[in-house]
Amino acid sequence: MSSSSEPVIDANLAVALDALLAEQSVTRAAARLRTSPAAMSRTLARLRRVLQDPLLVRAGQSMVPTPRAQSLREEAAAVVRSLGTLLSPGTGVDPATLCTTFTLQAADLVGAALAPGLLELARREAPGVSLRLRAEELEAGPALRDGRVDLEVGSIDHADPETRVEELVTLRMAAAVRPGHPLTEGTLTPDRLAAADHVVVSRRGRFTGPLDTALAEHGLVRRVAVVLPGHLAALALAARSDAVCLVPTVPGAAVPSPLTDVATQLGLRLLDIPLPLPPLTIGMAWHPRHAADAGHHWLRDAVRRTLRTPGAPAA
């Protein structure tokens, strides 16, 4: 007993009691628990003091349990089984048995690329799963830390030290224009690209980005006609005007990336930009509390399968 009213619980005593009552022998109980007979004798003596009962007494060449020991035998075995269950590693879960809601945070274009694939996978594999997609915040770290967001998907550039991050796919920006746009005729050059009207996507309202840096090396400055906070609005504008919108694509992919589905559905043409732009990496981030969770493991795998394009270079 401790100095307070709460007893000090030693689970090892329960395990030893179960072995002693099952084997009714100090030697055999010691072998069962891979310890020495002397150590098991000391444990039996401690159990006798704690329970205030001899538990096992000598009867000729063997030992027999006392009435108190007999009454404790099934209870001790049940406690040890419960301890084994409590302290065993978590087992995998059948996705079909999941009944939960996962909250993901992503930019609008990434969310639009994710939603159809994730919903289809959930319908086939985890019909009890619901998905909540939140708009991208300036900083997702606190939302991951306090559990408001289960998974962030996008360009992960602000992760907290404890955040787990996995890169999914490396992208290159292309110029999306409407059918019949002047840039679709002839060779696209840096000069022609700079001379066109551009729509820039920026959550922070910035007018410049990596394309401006690349153009500046050629002594060129593009005209930014409008800045919008999301790609979906920018693509819709490009489809109805002569504005050029940048869209992430997977270079060398055998099949189109889900990230270009919206541009394709709007009928936009995707043109290779004749400038060395830095690659864009799409990844996912989650808090370590979810690292071993079987349901979250299914979610991460579903995101991988949705965004990783066959034949695309790995991130």
Side-chain angles (χ1 to χ4, degrees):
M1 298 288 289
S2 65
S3 57
S4 65
S5 60
E6 293 295 326
V8 176
I9 299 174
D10 185 349
N12 290 322
L13 286 180
V15 175
L17 178 62
D18 175 53
L20 285 164
L21 298 184
E23 300 293 342
Q24 296 184 23
S25 163
V26 170
T27 301
R28 290 194 298 271
R32 177 172 171 173
L33 298 184
R34 296 181 176 85
T35 187
S36 67
M40 185 56 68
S41 292
R42 291 192 294 272
T43 301
L44 175 58
R46 185 180 174 193
L47 283 166
R48 286 167 169 167
R49 290 194 301 272
V50 169
L51 296 175
Q52 298 182 10
D53 187 271
L55 298 176
L56 294 173
V57 296
R58 180 68 57 185
Q61 297 298 315
S62 61
M63 301 187 79
V64 295
T66 66
R68 176 76 190 282
Q70 290 178 328
S71 70
L72 291 175
R73 182 170 179 174
E74 290 302 320
E75 185 176 355
V79 167
V80 171
R81 286 195 298 269
S82 296
L83 284 171
T85 301
L86 175 65
L87 299 178
S88 295
T91 57
V93 65
D94 182 357
T97 65
L98 288 174
C99 187
T100 188
T101 296
F102 290 118
T103 300
L104 294 85
Q105 180 168 293
D108 60 347
L109 185 64
V110 177
L114 274 175
L118 288 182
L119 286 175
E120 176 61 20
L121 288 173
R123 183 189 67 80
R124 294 200 319 257
E125 301 174 9
V129 165
S130 297
L131 300 168
R132 179 193 295 119
L133 269 74
R134 288 182 34 162
E136 197 173 28
E137 293 181 349
L138 296 183
E139 296 294 340
L144 290 171
R145 189 183 304 117
D146 62 27
R148 286 179 289 129
V149 169
D150 296 304
L151 193 67
E152 182 190 6
V153 185
S155 178
I156 312 296
D157 56 3
H158 51 259
D160 292 323
E162 76 272 17
T163 302
R164 305 286 180 87
V165 178
E166 178 182 331
E167 296 180 350
L168 297 171
V169 63
T170 297
L171 307 170
R172 174 178 167 81
M173 303 306 288
V177 297
R178 64 168 178 80
H181 191 284
L183 292 183
T184 62
E185 301 295 331
T187 302
L188 180 60
T189 64
D191 297 78
R192 294 184 66 203
L193 182 62
D197 285 343
H198 288 256
V199 52
V200 168
V201 177
S202 173
R203 290 175 294 151
R204 298 173 174 85
R206 295 174 178 169
F207 275 73
T208 60
L211 178 57
D212 300 278
T213 302
L215 288 170
E217 293 182 0
H218 292 261
L220 299 171
V221 178
R222 64 171 170 164
R223 167 175 155 69
V224 175
V226 60
V227 178
L228 294 175
H231 261 100
L232 298 184
L235 289 171
L237 176 62
R240 296 194 296 267
S241 71
D242 281 342
V244 178
C245 176
L246 299 189
V247 178
T249 63
V250 179
V255 297
S257 165
L259 291 161
T260 61
D261 282 351
V262 174
T264 301
Q265 291 160 8
L266 289 171
L268 292 168
R269 294 277 305 278
L270 300 181
L271 308 177
D272 288 335
I273 295 175
L275 292 165
L277 298 181
L280 173 68
T281 298
I282 297 295
M284 58 182 172
W286 64 95
H287 193 272
R289 73 162 69 90
H290 297 304
D293 180 72
H296 202 277
H297 185 274
W298 175 86
L299 173 65
R300 300 195 301 270
D301 184 61
V303 169
R304 290 186 198 101
R305 287 184 281 162
T306 299
L307 285 187
R308 280 181 174 162
T309 305

